[in-house]
Amino acid sequence: MSCICEYFVHSKDPDLSSSTTTDSKLSVNQLANKKETSSCGSDASATDFASAKAEIWLLKKSLRENHISIENLENLIKLMMERQNVMLTEIYHLKRLNYELREECRLQRDYHSMERNALLRELHDIRELLSSRSKMLEETILKNAELINAVQDANEKIYMMGMKYLKMKNSNCQQLAVQEYSKYSDECEESSEEEEKGTSDSESMD
């Protein structure tokens, strides 16, 4: 009975389309004609007739809903196919871009490896040069130390020679002073003797 009530409620609904109402009217008329023709030999009641109408209406409704769902599914499939095509084109573009990036990365890696090897060789040469320069610096430091020691020894020798020269000079000066003093004293004695002789001679003459 619930189906029958739903049929009567929806049959009175004004929102249903005109096509469905006409189809239902035609089907109802056809069934009514068939029932009228077969009313003589059949014992069908009014409730069976109403239930048959309700079942027909429900079948049409389910058919219409299935048709709408099929259309929606077709639209969804079309949309999915379009999106799939877009995704496939993007995937192809990304694959090509990935290949280009791999090639560029390989070239950059080769270039950087060559540059790294060149830098390593240059660093090795610099280390060897620094080691040789450090050895030369140590040798020059040792030579400078030896030269400083030799200069100090020479300065000490020069100082000692100067001291000896000053001592010799002082001794020579003292000897010269003594000799000059002795000469001066001799001269003074000779002059005094000459004066004494002169005085004696003058006295004798007198």
Side-chain angles (χ1 to χ4, degrees):
M1 294 296 291
S2 61
C3 296
I4 295 167
C5 293
E6 184 179 0
Y7 168 73
F8 283 112
V9 169
H10 285 288
S11 63
K12 293 179 182 180
D13 192 2
D15 293 333
L16 291 175
S17 62
S18 61
S19 62
T20 55
T21 54
T22 53
D23 291 334
S24 62
K25 287 180 180 179
L26 289 172
S27 61
V28 168
N29 291 324
Q30 289 176 0
L31 288 172
N33 292 324
K34 287 181 181 179
K35 289 287 183 180
E36 287 175 358
T37 54
S38 60
S39 61
C40 297
S42 63
D43 296 330
S45 62
T47 57
D48 293 332
F49 183 71
S51 63
K53 284 183 179 181
E55 288 177 357
I56 291 167
W57 182 83
L58 290 174
L59 289 171
K60 286 182 178 181
K61 182 180 178 181
S62 63
L63 181 64
R64 187 170 60 252
E65 290 177 352
N66 291 325
H67 183 70
I68 292 167
S69 64
I70 288 168
E71 288 180 353
N72 291 327
L73 288 172
E74 287 178 352
N75 292 324
L76 181 63
I77 289 168
K78 288 180 181 178
L79 182 63
M80 290 176 67
M81 289 177 69
E82 290 176 356
R83 290 184 178 179
Q84 186 177 4
N85 291 325
V86 172
M87 290 175 68
L88 287 172
T89 54
E90 289 180 355
I91 288 168
Y92 178 74
H93 178 69
L94 290 173
K95 282 184 178 180
R96 187 175 63 187
L97 184 63
N98 190 15
Y99 177 75
E100 292 176 356
L101 290 173
R102 282 183 180 178
E103 289 294 324
E104 187 177 358
C105 183
R106 185 179 62 80
L107 293 172
Q108 290 290 331
R109 186 172 60 249
D110 294 336
Y111 175 74
H112 287 303
S113 63
M114 292 172 65
E115 190 175 6
R116 183 188 62 189
N117 293 325
L119 289 173
L120 288 172
R121 286 194 298 271
E122 187 175 358
L123 182 63
H124 180 68
D125 295 334
I126 290 169
R127 284 180 179 175
E128 288 183 351
L129 182 62
L130 286 174
S131 62
S132 63
R133 291 289 178 85
S134 62
K135 289 179 181 178
M136 290 174 66
L137 183 61
E138 289 177 356
E139 291 177 355
T140 52
I141 288 168
L142 292 172
K143 288 180 180 180
N144 286 327
E146 291 176 356
L147 290 171
I148 289 166
N149 292 323
V151 168
Q152 288 179 357
D153 294 334
N155 288 326
E156 289 178 356
K157 289 179 180 179
I158 290 166
Y159 179 75
M160 294 299 292
M161 290 173 68
M163 293 298 291
K164 288 179 180 180
Y165 175 74
L166 290 173
K167 287 179 181 180
M168 290 173 68
K169 187 176 181 181
N170 288 326
S171 62
N172 290 326
C173 288
Q174 288 176 0
Q175 288 178 0
L176 290 171
V178 170
Q179 289 176 1
E180 288 178 356
Y181 180 74
S182 61
K183 288 179 180 180
Y184 180 73
S185 61
D186 293 334
E187 289 177 355
C188 288
E189 288 177 355
E190 288 178 356
S191 63
S192 61
E193 287 178 355
E194 288 178 355
E195 287 178 357
E196 287 178 357
K197 286 180 181 182
T199 55
S200 62
D201 290 335
S202 64
E203 287 178 354
S204 63
M205 288 174 69
D206 293 334

